[in-house]
Amino acid sequence: MNMEHSPSPSVLITGASRGIGEAIARRLAADGFLPVLHGRNRARLEALAGELGGNANPPRILQFDVSNRDEARKTLLADIEAHGVYYGVVCNAGIAADNAFPAMTDEEWDSVLAVDLGGFYNVLRPLVLPMVQARRPGRVVTISSLSGQVGNRGQVNYSAAKAGVIGATKALAVELAKRRITVNCVAPGLIGTDMAAPEVMTHILPLIPAQRVGKPEEVAAAVAFLMREDAAYITRQVIAVNGGMS
């Protein structure tokens, strides 16, 4: 790994305690990065850190609410002050609260927007300037969704948030391109995680050209490629991992 960094460049992964985030952490660790693990389930994060870490440089664990701006900022700034600026950030933390729009509650709308879109700002806002000031290459990868690209029944809130992530990603990529910091988005389709409700599986599976559900590891592979030095000229892109849906 020929980078302008320590032997194990650190990458913050939000929502790393399960599903796609966990798969991303495992893949990046296998590729020689040092994962900084964020999530709500402390026990699962500690178990994952124990699996991935060596005695010399084990993964760190951070816990904060991505929808809480002050909490996120204080926790992240304290971590980089103690351990240095991250090479990369993967904004993966997200929630869903599906409901038909006429029946959608204020809480279902507000909570999904606060975590899925607000988390973009709350996590990246404290980290971008330190990455720029480090004067070295960096990587930002956001996780959107097929729902953010085409919309999905019962997910007006989720589709709005994930479409916002795509727009914000593209705009930030323009601002950071000359700084050698790439900003890209990975948009999964139907992936076999505990966030995929059975009724969604039934509705969407027949529409997938590949005729199968995706694996978290397949999303992680796309993220891992974007973290590589080879991907330095790829920015402002949305990479769909969805089995051929459009």
Side-chain angles (χ1 to χ4, degrees):
M1 186 178 297
N2 181 22
M3 298 180 183
E4 299 175 33
H5 292 80
S6 64
S8 297
S10 62
V11 179
L12 171 68
I13 305 154
T14 66
S17 62
R18 61 178 184 156
I20 290 173
E22 180 181 346
I24 291 170
R26 291 182 183 279
R27 176 58 186 265
L28 293 183
D31 286 356
F33 295 96
L34 174 64
V36 180
L37 307 174
H38 161 273
R40 290 180 292 180
N41 190 319
R42 182 84 189 187
R44 292 185 67 161
L45 290 174
E46 288 178 348
L48 179 60
E51 289 182 44
L52 302 182
N55 294 327
N57 206 13
R60 300 193 302 279
I61 294 173
L62 300 181
Q63 288 198 286
F64 58 88
D65 180 353
V66 297
S67 68
N68 185 318
R69 189 164 298 158
D70 289 339
E71 184 181 347
R73 182 182 68 252
K74 290 175 182 177
T75 303
L76 291 168
L77 290 179
D79 188 61
I80 64 174
E81 182 177 357
H83 301 283
V85 178
Y86 306 131
Y87 162 73
V89 183
V90 181
C91 291
N92 168 72
I95 62 171
D98 296 354
N99 206 346
F101 190 67
M104 187 167 289
T105 66
D106 292 348
E107 171 60 21
E108 287 169 339
W109 176 270
D110 291 341
S111 62
V112 170
L113 269 289
V115 172
D116 294 16
L117 182 56
F120 174 98
Y121 181 87
N122 297 339
V123 169
L124 290 177
R125 177 62 179 81
L127 300 180
V128 165
L129 185 57
M131 291 176 73
V132 169
Q133 291 174 332
R135 298 182 181 276
R136 64 192 189 195
R139 302 283 185 268
V140 174
V141 179
T142 63
I143 305 299
S144 180
S145 170
L146 177 67
S147 294
Q149 295 179 294
V150 302
N152 191 38
R153 182 191 305 272
Q155 291 190 322
V156 174
N157 51 356
Y158 188 72
S159 296
K162 291 301 190 178
V165 167
I166 291 173
T169 299
K170 287 178 173 286
L172 185 59
V174 175
E175 293 189 16
L176 297 182
K178 67 180 180 181
R179 307 289 188 175
R180 298 186 296 163
I181 300 171
T182 66
V183 188
N184 292 289
C185 183
V186 172
L190 189 60
I191 306 298
T193 72
D194 56 9
M195 281 189 69
E199 59 271 21
V200 174
M201 293 274 196
T202 302
H203 173 67
I204 297 181
L205 187 58
L207 305 178
I208 303 174
Q211 291 293 291
R212 70 173 177 87
V213 174
K215 302 174 184 177
E217 292 78 11
E218 291 171 316
V219 181
V223 175
F225 170 72
L226 292 171
M227 284 288 161
R228 293 176 51 175
E229 186 177 14
D230 297 11
Y233 201 54
I234 300 172
T235 195
R236 206 185 183 193
Q237 302 305 305
V238 180
I239 297 179
V241 183
N242 62 27
M245 297 185 73
S246 62

